[in-house]
Amino acid sequence: MLIYIDSDAVRMRVHRKLLVQSFPWLSVRCFDRWESGIFDGVPSDRVVYMFTCLDDLTEAEMNAIISSARAEHPGLRWFALWAHDLSVPDWVAGLEPESVLGLPLDVHAIKRQLKHVAK
């Protein structure tokens, strides 16, 4: 399962289409913000890849989101998405993402990361 969170509605629609086309073997769920029901119906033994755009999110907000997500689903693999032209805030490393991937979205980079995580 792949979960994508992005507060930019237009960008989310475009990225959802790319993700569905690129990963037809995965279920894709998209949200404009963290919601407690994101993992409803997802078996606890299933691996979940969560990609979160960090635009306009603070360290406290992301810490709450990631802590909650990890508590709700033990198979969570979290990836941060950040604009290529900006430096990644130091606090992101403390949340231990699998990787920080750049925006605009690079589906090939995501495929490489998912193959790496699956090993």
Side-chain angles (χ1 to χ4, degrees):
M1 160 136 329
L2 190 149
I3 293 175
Y4 177 85
I5 301 173
D6 190 342
S7 60
D8 182 322
V10 173
R11 184 171 60 190
M12 183 168 52
R13 283 194 302 271
V14 171
H15 288 178
R16 183 184 192 290
K17 186 174 181 177
L18 285 172
L19 294 168
V20 168
Q21 289 172 348
S22 300
F23 302 99
W25 62 92
L26 293 175
S27 297
V28 177
R29 292 183 182 179
C30 295
F31 299 89
D32 61 357
R33 67 187 185 293
W34 169 256
E35 298 175 16
S36 62
I38 283 178
F39 299 115
D40 285 354
V42 179
S44 61
D45 62 343
R46 193 160 184 196
V47 175
V48 174
Y49 305 101
M50 187 168 86
F51 294 86
T52 306
C53 289
L54 300 178
D55 298 350
D56 302 325
L57 291 172
T58 66
E59 178 179 7
E61 291 169 323
M62 275 309 303
N63 187 36
I65 289 168
I66 297 307
S67 296
S68 180
R70 286 179 172 149
E72 283 190 46
H73 196 80
L76 180 74
R77 302 282 197 231
W78 175 61
F79 297 83
L81 298 173
W82 188 257
H84 277 296
D85 56 344
L86 300 174
S87 60
V88 179
D90 293 337
W91 56 262
V92 173
L95 297 177
E96 301 176 348
E98 298 284 336
S99 182
V100 177
L101 301 171
L103 290 171
L105 189 69
D106 181 350
V107 174
H108 298 293
I110 291 175
K111 282 184 178 180
R112 285 191 299 275
Q113 286 298 321
L114 294 186
K115 285 179 184 176
H116 175 74
V117 169
K119 292 181 181 179

